[in-house]
Amino acid sequence: MEMLWLWRRSLFAVIIVAVGIAARPHRILLDTDVDSDDFFAMLYLLKLNKFQFDLQAVTINTNEWSDGGHSVNHIYDILYMMGRDDIAVGVGGEGGILEDGTIQPNVGGYIPIIDQGRGTAGPCRYRQTIPVGAGGRLYKDTNFGYRKSFLPQGSRRYSPLKQPTAQQVLIEKISYGPISLFVIGAHTNIAIFLMTNPHLKKNIEHIYIMGGGVRSKNPTGGNHGNLYTCFKSNPYAEFNFFGDPFAAYQVIHSGIPVTLVPLDATNTIPITQNFFEEFERNQHTFEAQYVFKTLKMVRDTWFDDKFYENCFMWDSFMSGVSTSIMRNVHKRNGENEFAEMEYMNITVITSNKPYGISDDGSNNLFDGRSVPKFNLTENGVHSGHVQTGIRDPFCLQNNGIGRCKDGYTEKVSGPDSVRVLLATRAKQNRDKNSSLDREFFVSFLNVLNLPQNKGRFNFSSQFPYYKEVVYKPDFEGKKLGKTVVFDMDMSAGDFLALFYLLKVPVDTINLKAILVTPTGWANAATIDVIYDLLHMMGRDDIIVGLGDSFGLNQSDPNNPSVGGCKYLKAIPHGSGGLLDSDTLFGLAHDLPRSPRRYTAENSVEFGAPRNTDHPQLRQPLALEVWKSIVKSTDVGSKITILTNGPLTTLAKIILADANASSIIQDVFIVGGHIGYHRHDKGNVINVPLNIYAEMNMFLDPLAAKVVFDSMLDVTLIPLSMQRKVCVFPHFIKKLDFENKTPEARFSRRLLKRMYQLQQRNHRYQHMDTFLGEILGAVILTTDRQALNPTFQAKPLKVDATGDTSKDGQITVDPEQRKSIKILHKFDHRIMMFLQTGLLMTNNLLSLEASMSKKEFGAHRKVELEIKFRGTGKLIAHSCSGMKRPKVCSSNIIFSYHNCSCQDYH
């Protein structure tokens, strides 16, 4: 049997090579949302004979199943494995669409065209149907945990302002000459290109699309579409077309020949148990192994017991059908090896009848406009109600069957119809004796296992001496300081604060756990950066818990895995926002790779439908970590919490644990803004009507209200105090010495990059916000005499009424039952010395600081002396007149008063 398999593979390779020599290669550009089946399709293309099918570029659609920062690095690593660093990759862009319909260069595709404004922040009317956490974008961003454990790591990665954009790559590759487009995600990128570059349409030979459903019947409910989270409002649409219906309409109606592989065809090629088992037996290349690992985890985490009936070969099947048609280009009716085809007149529904409704608030192309956007026809097919979300009242009906058809590929006739070539059914295997009942199953396994164009290595073969070692410090016999739990939303400032906390001696604080609140500046998959940073610092003992994907009352009441982005829409998806946070401004790749990572491993014990292979690797949740910390805390001991993001996780602890106030000693909150006059503004970007709120409070105002109204002892470190330490050049200068620690070097690179970006591009003007987030860690861990802080106690109220123009604003309200302690003043100059000094110190055991002040006439001179005691060399900061930093031996102090080393004793 094995010999027969190898013979068929070799014969298949010979056929491909022979056919490929006959003509020029077909140039292909792949536009993908980097779902699992998307990279199955990409690997299939990469394995074909390059002299016949030449994949020129990959552009990433960023408003569906994955997030830009994670997906672009995922693609880079796959291409590196396959030895194809020559393939261009485009993602994002900072252009916008103006109110008059003018499309600026480099629109990033983060937002559907109907909602696209000037930047990369915006609503998620269509994307909210896609689960954010487990089962959705978290699984895709991490590829269930296999992205980091399996793929090798090359030199290409996202880098701010250097990463080619999607539109740049499209223009470059299409300008070069004839090319075919493979579209296996939402159509935003391609539609924007076609709308802005009509002169280049002539170079696009054909557009092949996986998406839509014309006469399809979903196996789970008989609906046309597959929006399983949205059937009650829209039972017609398929995910790729629903991701941006107006964009899909533009592509289908572009005048370029279109071949569509819709649900009609893909529903006839479910992943059968026979195929799965045959695949399991035949993994002869790294790419086959990677695909099978992914497919197996899809099966093992499938929500019910009908995986083999309801999981289909979507995008990979489209790649097979399309390349087979291209191979048989001399045949006129799309004849190919894998699917039956027919021509059909269709259109894409972009709005719902009755047309001409222009003032119901749903349709930004018409509402309130005397001239429709893009000069669309009044009362035309785009002028009706446009679905606004999962629970759009217009779409819901009493019979439980949705009435909205946005994204539906409907068979029509008349002037609005387009003739497309459409796949209707997968062909049976010609070999009746085979256990594989579809012809494409054979091709898929053959191609992935071909010795030609195979992957060069995976991570373990790239680094054969790498061992997954867990580093846990031995604190046996040591006196540990107060127990601290750090709650972070993974902004750049949070990682700098984490470095600081890890450098503070354990006899001062004992950092026991990190809780991740993914409702702020980074997506949940960025938890892997935390694991890598802890590994770098030798602290694999610190447990990390993942919080909920939505703020309080922000998920769908019937399905907590999906929901809107009422507040999160304030955060940019592109530069200066999620794209940079998820990659730590392009530097996350430079951290050492931790053996710990997010995985989709799970068990029945925790509510999973079945046990996966390694349930012990399951990612713990934030509330589970909290309970374990409470349980392990000594009787009479208490916990201090530092929170640097939205208060979602802390609020859920309060609501879930009635005894929380008795175990929590105090809470330090970095966030909030108290405006004492009208010029004292907050920092909520992209919500111009909300002038006075601070971002952490705004992102989950209801959670903030729960925390402020609780019985916890809360210290607020408001925005006004954070702004006192927002001086990038001073921080960078203090870190700019020889013999630095790895964490100091990394912090300097991060700070310098953020500062340079702030100077170069207006999208980065808010970088100071992140620098100020370090303050909480310093206030929490430093002796009060050092910083000389003063606090005020005031009764505070957080606005959480649902009005985004006011939510998150804090006011002084005498009627409140309790007062909140507010940091009012501190010596911010010493804070900077403490922060940089700790990062630069090796093997730090203790730290103390003292300050003396002397009056000199009308001026006050501050003489600063910071004492470091350690076991290795300590690096002193520069003083006035010093040309080089002083390096002092262990057990010394460096005095800033006289710039000298002194014996500590």
Side-chain angles (χ1 to χ4, degrees):
M1 185 67 183
E2 181 72 14
M3 290 298 295
L4 177 62
W5 174 269
L6 293 172
W7 180 82
R8 291 187 66 180
R9 268 176 47 202
S10 300
L11 178 62
F12 191 80
V14 171
I15 292 172
I16 287 179
V17 172
V19 173
I21 296 172
R24 65 172 175 82
H26 296 279
R27 298 175 67 243
I28 297 171
L29 184 146
L30 178 69
D31 189 73
T32 169
D33 61 7
V34 200
D35 194 352
S36 303
D37 56 321
D38 289 57
F39 70 77
F40 295 1
M42 185 178 77
L43 285 167
Y44 183 88
L45 291 174
L46 289 169
K47 290 304 297 282
L48 298 177
N49 182 5
K50 186 180 177 181
F51 294 104
Q52 186 176 14
F53 300 103
D54 185 9
L55 181 59
Q56 290 270 305
V58 177
T59 52
I60 296 173
N61 164 249
T62 52
N63 64 2
E64 273 217 290
W65 281 93
S66 65
D67 297 291
H70 294 294
S71 60
V72 68
N73 284 336
H74 191 185
I75 293 294
Y76 279 140
D77 289 344
I78 290 175
L79 292 175
Y80 181 67
M81 177 178 74
M82 301 303 295
R84 293 302 307 272
D85 281 344
D86 60 302
I87 294 176
V89 179
V91 65
E94 297 303 306
I97 299 179
L98 306 183
E99 278 297 308
D100 63 2
T102 300
I103 302 176
Q104 297 177 322
N106 282 318
V107 173
Y110 298 103
I111 311 295
I113 291 175
I114 191 172
D115 293 321
Q116 176 67 60
R118 288 177 174 267
T120 66
C124 56
R125 71 165 78 206
Y126 303 122
R127 200 185 194 195
Q128 64 183 264
T129 59
I130 295 174
V132 175
R137 283 156 47 196
L138 175 58
Y139 277 7
K140 311 308 175 182
D141 286 342
T142 61
N143 194 30
F144 303 91
Y146 293 129
R147 175 184 146 202
K148 286 191 64 180
S149 66
F150 188 91
L151 291 178
Q153 184 169 302
S155 59
R156 288 205 297 176
R157 84 283 300 273
Y158 166 79
S159 183
L161 301 185
K162 295 180 180 179
Q163 168 64 46
T165 69
Q167 294 301 313
Q168 286 171 342
V169 170
L170 283 163
I171 291 170
E172 176 191 351
K173 296 303 178 181
I174 295 173
S175 296
Y176 186 80
I179 195 168
S180 295
L181 306 185
F182 282 27
V183 185
I184 53 176
H187 294 213
T188 312
N189 288 335
I190 307 303
I192 291 291
F193 171 83
L194 295 173
M195 294 168 73
T196 54
N197 298 279
H199 62 290
L200 291 177
K201 285 184 181 182
K202 65 181 184 296
N203 284 355
I204 302 175
E205 295 182 309
H206 208 101
I207 301 177
Y208 297 91
I209 298 169
M210 188 279 128
V214 184
R215 296 172 300 200
S216 54
K217 295 292 182 182
N218 191 286
T220 58
N223 302 297
H224 283 290
N226 65 352
L227 303 179
Y228 62 92
T229 61
C230 193
F231 281 149
K232 291 185 178 180
S233 55
N234 187 330
Y236 298 94
E238 177 273 336
F239 272 110
N240 286 348
F241 276 64
F242 186 73
D244 194 339
F246 184 78
Y249 182 96
Q250 297 301 314
V251 173
I252 293 290
H253 288 258
S254 65
I256 300 168
V258 169
T259 292
L260 186 66
V261 181
L263 296 179
D264 307 52
T266 59
N267 283 355
T268 66
I269 186 166
I271 294 172
T272 63
Q273 186 169 353
N274 284 340
F275 169 77
F276 186 92
E277 292 172 353
E278 186 71 15
F279 197 174
E280 190 170 23
R281 289 189 292 268
N282 292 282
Q283 304 172 57
H284 306 295
T285 61
F286 292 122
E287 53 273 21
Q289 294 166 22
Y290 190 56
V291 170
F292 182 76
K293 280 178 175 288
T294 304
L295 186 62
K296 186 176 186 302
M297 188 58 83
V298 172
R299 186 198 66 172
D300 292 348
T301 58
W302 198 258
F303 65 95
D304 62 15
D305 59 356
K306 296 183 179 180
F307 167 81
Y308 293 119
E309 301 167 40
N310 294 334
C311 185
F312 306 97
M313 298 198 80
W314 291 288
D315 298 328
S316 53
F317 183 57
M318 174 268 186
S319 285
V321 171
S322 301
T323 52
S324 182
I325 292 173
M326 295 165 76
R327 195 179 288 122
N328 295 282
V329 68
H330 57 284
K331 298 182 180 180
R332 302 185 60 182
N333 295 313
E335 289 88 348
N336 66 89
E337 304 160 80
F338 308 124
E340 298 173 5
M341 311 294 293
E342 69 174 271
Y343 282 99
M344 186 179 297
N345 287 349
I346 67 167
T347 192
V348 181
I349 304 298
T350 63
S351 70
N352 299 277
K353 296 177 180 179
Y355 297 137
I357 299 176
S358 59
D359 289 310
D360 70 349
S362 71
N363 192 334
N364 295 332
L365 303 177
F366 288 85
D367 288 348
R369 297 177 180 274
S370 56
V371 178
K373 209 167 189 177
F374 309 126
N375 292 316
L376 298 174
T377 303
E378 290 196 37
N379 302 320
V381 295
H382 306 298
S383 65
H385 177 90
V386 179
Q387 186 167 352
T388 58
I390 294 173
R391 304 194 63 78
D392 183 345
F394 179 92
C395 304
L396 300 172
Q397 298 188 113
N398 292 332
N399 61 7
I401 300 175
R403 64 183 287 200
C404 282
K405 294 184 176 182
D406 306 63
Y408 176 38
T409 44
E410 188 172 33
K411 182 180 179 181
V412 295
S413 59
D416 196 49
S417 65
V418 176
R419 188 171 185 256
V420 303
L421 182 62
L422 185 140
T424 59
R425 176 175 293 277
K427 287 184 177 180
Q428 297 287 325
N429 189 350
R430 290 169 292 180
D431 182 358
K432 302 303 180 183
N433 296 320
S434 173
S435 62
L436 304 178
D437 63 353
R438 295 292 185 269
E439 188 68 27
F440 181 68
F441 285 154
V442 179
S443 173
F444 186 75
L445 296 184
N446 279 337
V447 168
L448 284 188
N449 285 289
L450 281 172
Q452 291 79 16
N453 303 324
K454 68 179 182 179
R456 299 176 299 169
F457 37 61
N458 62 6
F459 183 74
S460 60
S461 61
Q462 181 188 16
F463 303 105
Y465 299 106
Y466 171 81
K467 293 183 179 180
E468 289 196 340
V469 179
V470 175
Y471 295 103
K472 295 185 178 182
D474 182 8
F475 294 140
E476 185 71 28
K478 292 184 179 179
K479 181 182 177 182
L480 301 179
K482 61 183 176 182
T483 300
V484 172
V485 172
F486 184 32
D487 178 12
M488 58 189 290
D489 70 351
M490 303 181 290
S491 70
D494 288 1
F495 285 105
L496 292 169
L498 179 56
F499 269 132
Y500 186 88
L501 292 173
L502 293 169
K503 294 288 290 190
V504 174
V506 294
D507 59 5
T508 301
I509 69 160
N510 178 22
L511 183 60
K512 292 277 286 185
I514 295 171
L515 306 181
V516 174
T517 299
T519 57
W521 280 96
N523 290 293
T526 309
I527 192 173
D528 282 345
V529 183
I530 297 177
Y531 284 131
D532 289 346
L533 189 152
L534 292 174
H535 188 61
M536 169 184 174
M537 300 298 292
R539 292 304 306 271
D540 290 327
D541 59 304
I542 296 176
I543 191 170
V544 182
L546 182 60
D548 290 352
S549 301
F550 292 96
L552 263 58
N553 290 356
Q554 293 181 37
S555 62
D556 183 79
N558 295 327
N559 186 350
S561 69
V562 295
C565 53
K566 181 176 181 178
Y567 302 102
L568 196 59
K569 68 183 180 182
I571 294 183
H573 288 272
S575 296
L578 296 167
L579 179 63
D580 283 309
S581 294
D582 285 342
T583 60
L584 202 51
F585 290 80
L587 298 177
H589 250 43
D590 294 336
L591 292 169
R593 189 171 294 200
S594 170
R596 294 195 296 170
R597 65 190 68 89
Y598 175 83
T599 77
E601 302 281 359
N602 212 335
S603 68
V604 174
E605 177 186 357
F606 292 98
R610 63 194 63 81
N611 288 348
T612 58
D613 287 347
H614 305 285
Q616 73 277 10
L617 299 179
R618 172 184 174 272
Q619 169 62 51
L621 302 180
L623 286 180
E624 295 166 0
V625 169
W626 171 254
K627 290 176 183 177
S628 71
I629 296 298
V630 170
K631 187 176 180 179
S632 65
T633 300
D634 295 336
V635 177
S637 298
K638 293 196 173 186
I639 301 169
T640 294
I641 296 178
L642 169 65
T643 177
N644 265 34
L647 301 183
T648 309
T649 301
L650 180 56
K652 293 194 174 184
I653 288 173
I654 295 169
L655 296 173
D657 185 355
N659 297 318
S661 59
S662 63
I663 191 68
I664 298 175
Q665 178 175 324
D666 45 16
V667 175
F668 290 81
I669 297 175
V670 178
H673 178 61
I674 306 163
Y676 294 105
H677 51 77
R678 64 187 182 88
H679 299 294
D680 195 7
K681 298 180 180 180
N683 67 349
V684 178
I685 57 177
N686 299 314
V687 185
L689 293 179
N690 195 320
I691 301 173
Y692 301 109
E694 181 272 337
M695 187 66 87
N696 287 341
M697 301 297 111
F698 174 80
L699 290 171
D700 195 346
L702 186 56
K705 186 178 188 312
V706 168
V707 174
F708 277 46
D709 292 347
S710 71
M711 299 305 294
L712 298 180
D713 181 4
V714 173
T715 297
L716 191 69
I717 302 170
L719 184 61
S720 57
M721 294 295 101
Q722 297 173 50
R723 285 171 170 162
K724 290 183 179 293
V725 297
C726 297
V727 187
F728 273 108
H730 289 178
F731 270 93
I732 295 168
K733 183 179 179 181
K734 295 299 179 184
L735 288 168
D736 194 14
F737 297 113
E738 299 175 358
N739 303 315
K740 295 182 291 288
T741 61
E743 54 272 22
R745 288 194 294 270
F746 189 89
S747 297
R748 181 184 178 278
R749 288 179 65 201
L750 177 58
L751 288 167
K752 190 172 182 179
R753 180 163 292 188
M754 292 165 64
Y755 177 61
Q756 290 173 340
L757 291 169
Q758 185 185 53
Q759 300 303 301
R760 290 174 55 191
N761 192 289
H762 71 281
R763 301 290 185 191
Y764 292 92
Q765 291 307 301
H766 57 282
M767 292 297 99
D768 289 347
T769 297
F770 302 135
L771 187 57
E773 291 181 318
I774 305 170
L775 181 57
V778 179
I779 294 292
L780 168 66
T781 59
T782 307
D783 189 291
R784 293 290 168 87
Q785 291 183 354
L787 291 177
N788 195 29
T790 60
F791 298 88
Q792 295 179 342
K794 294 186 178 182
L796 301 181
K797 176 184 177 182
V798 181
D799 202 307
T801 61
D803 181 353
T804 55
S805 68
K806 297 180 179 179
D807 280 347
Q809 295 182 14
I810 297 176
T811 54
V812 177
D813 182 3
E815 296 184 3
Q816 294 297 111
R817 295 181 303 165
K818 59 173 283 192
S819 292
I820 302 293
K821 190 161 52 176
I822 308 164
L823 179 64
H824 180 61
K825 289 182 181 179
F826 70 98
D827 194 308
H828 61 278
R829 292 162 294 185
I830 298 180
M831 198 289 296
M832 185 165 57
F833 286 126
L834 290 172
Q835 166 69 12
T836 54
L838 270 184
L839 288 173
M840 296 172 63
T841 302
N842 290 300
N843 305 318
L844 190 67
L845 297 179
S846 67
L847 175 149
E848 48 185 297
S850 62
M851 180 181 67
S852 63
K853 296 181 179 179
K854 295 182 180 179
E855 298 292 340
F856 293 92
H859 302 283
R860 173 174 292 179
K861 180 180 179 181
V862 178
E863 297 178 345
L864 174 65
E865 180 180 279
I866 297 183
K867 298 179 181 180
F868 298 102
R869 180 167 62 85
T871 59
K873 289 186 176 181
L874 304 180
I875 303 167
H877 302 84
S878 62
C879 294
S880 175
M882 287 179 61
K883 294 183 178 179
R884 295 180 63 84
K886 285 186 177 294
V887 179
C888 303
S889 302
S890 60
N891 294 322
I892 53 83
I893 64 172
F894 177 81
S895 172
Y896 286 87
H897 173 45
N898 56 18
C899 293
S900 65
C901 300
Q902 301 172 11
D903 187 84
Y904 185 81
H905 302 290

